[in-house]
Amino acid sequence: TLGALIPLTGFATGFGENQKVGLDIAVDEINKAGGIKGNTLKVITYDTESKGEKAILGFRKQATQDNVLAILGPFLSTEAEVCFPLANKYQIVSISASAAKPGLAEAHRPYGFINATSDMNTLPPAVDYWVKAHNIKTVCVVTDIKDALNKSTGQIVFPKLLEAKGVKILGTSEFVTGEMDFSAHVSKFKGMSPDGIVISCTLADAAGFIKEAKKQGLGKPFIGGVAIQAPKFLELGGADANGTITGSSFWVENPAAKSKAFVQEFMKRYGGREPNPFAANMHENVYIIKQLIETTGVTNKPADLDADRQKIQKGLEGLKNFEGVTGTFSVTKEGTVDKSGYVLMAKDGKWVKP
């Protein structure tokens, strides 16, 4: 039995729903093929409500009462910051498919792992393309400072990458998750007349900012990080989102057989909507744990739970050349993965290669 911590309500619902489909596909595929070592794979899922305190409660329950072998999640970097210390306390692997804040897994060795590339890894080619394609010399940056990932991306990652390209930041604007009125932020940027705008915020906020910018006639090129990579952003942004650039470790048009099969099954289950990178990573995480159960001597006997948890940790630490739906990758000494990135552009409700 595995645990899963997913935001099925709250501001990250769009991401959570997407990730849950990726989880369900993997579990169903494995059980249809006979389970793991003849046993049916079960997953106990708790809704974190997009809140760190709820993630803590769910984590403790899964580790100490449900007695799961490993925990898939949590989703948000802010949740992982408070749950990874518990992973080390209870000596149980916590592998997030999405907590992409740089340095997060490294700070919580040896039981905290992240199968998600940070913006520092996936954004360089995207920034390079965006700057060249639109001849960007100056930018303004809007950042959600409540969310750990977006704060890091907006205040550290983007400035560092843009500075390396000789791009000047004319101004910045900060807000907290769930802000409904972006008129003042947009007006501020409009007065500065930048060549482009960086949006370091999540789904609804990113879409809301872009729509307000277009409404005020600020039709500048936009770029964002991994936090905008869900169908919900494209859905909410509509035509106004077209042309927005991002960098991702997952591309839905990937011709590889394993990736194509996953995308097709996902769209069939999720009303024609496409999977985001975090759904793909979650699918991989289930298969990673399956492989480790089969290859590290896990017994699945209640009396061996502590030893089995340690076997999963050791196996994950040394995982090399795993073939998943995003491609082939290995786990690094920092507890993350060495995936490369694609440059993607929003176009008519899809993420495409520009």
Side-chain angles (χ1 to χ4, degrees), residues 247-258:
S248 175
S249 61
F250 179 63
W251 174 43
V252 292
E253 302 291 336
N254 188 332
K258 193 172 278 193

Side-chain angles (χ1 to χ4, degrees), residues 43-221:
V43 179
I44 298 170
T45 303
Y46 293 140
D47 174 18
T48 66
E49 300 176 24
S50 310
K51 298 173 183 174
E53 58 269 28
K54 290 290 184 181
I56 288 172
L57 291 173
F59 196 102
R60 281 200 176 120
K61 190 166 185 224
Q62 289 180 341
T64 64
Q65 295 176 38
D66 299 328
N67 293 325
V68 300
L69 179 63
I71 294 174
L72 306 166
F75 184 93
L76 298 164
S77 294
T78 42
E79 295 171 341
E81 282 178 329
V82 292
C83 285
F84 278 180
L86 296 178
N88 287 323
K89 177 182 178 180
Y90 297 121
Q91 297 191 330
I92 180 172
V93 161
S94 175
I95 178 168
S96 176
S98 42
K101 181 183 175 183
L104 192 50
E106 186 178 9
H108 297 93
R109 312 285 350 102
Y111 281 89
F113 291 88
I114 299 171
N115 173 17
T117 46
S118 74
D119 280 326
M120 191 60 89
N121 289 352
T122 54
L123 280 176
V127 169
D128 188 51
Y129 169 83
W130 186 65
V131 168
K132 286 176 180 173
H134 299 290
N135 194 27
I136 305 288
K137 304 289 185 190
T138 59
V139 300
C140 285
V141 183
V142 61
T143 303
D144 175 356
I145 56 171
K146 184 180 179 182
D147 179 73
L149 170 61
N150 283 307
K151 185 177 180 181
S152 170
T153 300
Q155 297 187 340
I156 299 170
V157 179
F158 269 120
K160 187 173 181 179
L161 297 176
L162 291 165
E163 184 185 343
K165 295 286 173 194
V167 176
K168 185 180 180 185
I169 296 175
L170 297 179
T172 61
S173 202
E174 290 79 35
F175 71 97
V176 295
T177 314
E179 187 154 331
M180 303 302 289
D181 185 4
F182 291 101
S183 55
H185 300 282
V186 172
S187 295
K188 177 182 174 182
F189 287 176
K190 196 175 177 183
M192 297 175 182
S193 196
D195 296 327
I197 296 175
V198 174
I199 44 170
S200 190
C201 41
T202 306
L203 301 182
D205 292 322
F209 186 91
I210 289 175
K211 291 184 88 67
E212 179 61 31
K214 295 291 174 77
K215 180 182 166 187
Q216 289 195 33
L218 189 60
K220 301 293 185 179

Side-chain angles (χ1 to χ4, degrees), residues 243-278:
T244 302
I245 296 293
T246 191
S248 175
S249 61
F250 179 63
W251 174 43
V252 292
E253 302 291 336
N254 188 332
K258 193 172 278 193
S259 183
K260 276 178 77 172
F262 169 69
V263 172
Q264 286 170 0
E265 178 62 23
F266 187 99
M267 292 177 73
K268 190 168 84 179
R269 293 189 185 209
Y270 202 34
R273 284 178 284 181
E274 296 174 344
N276 62 31
F278 313 126

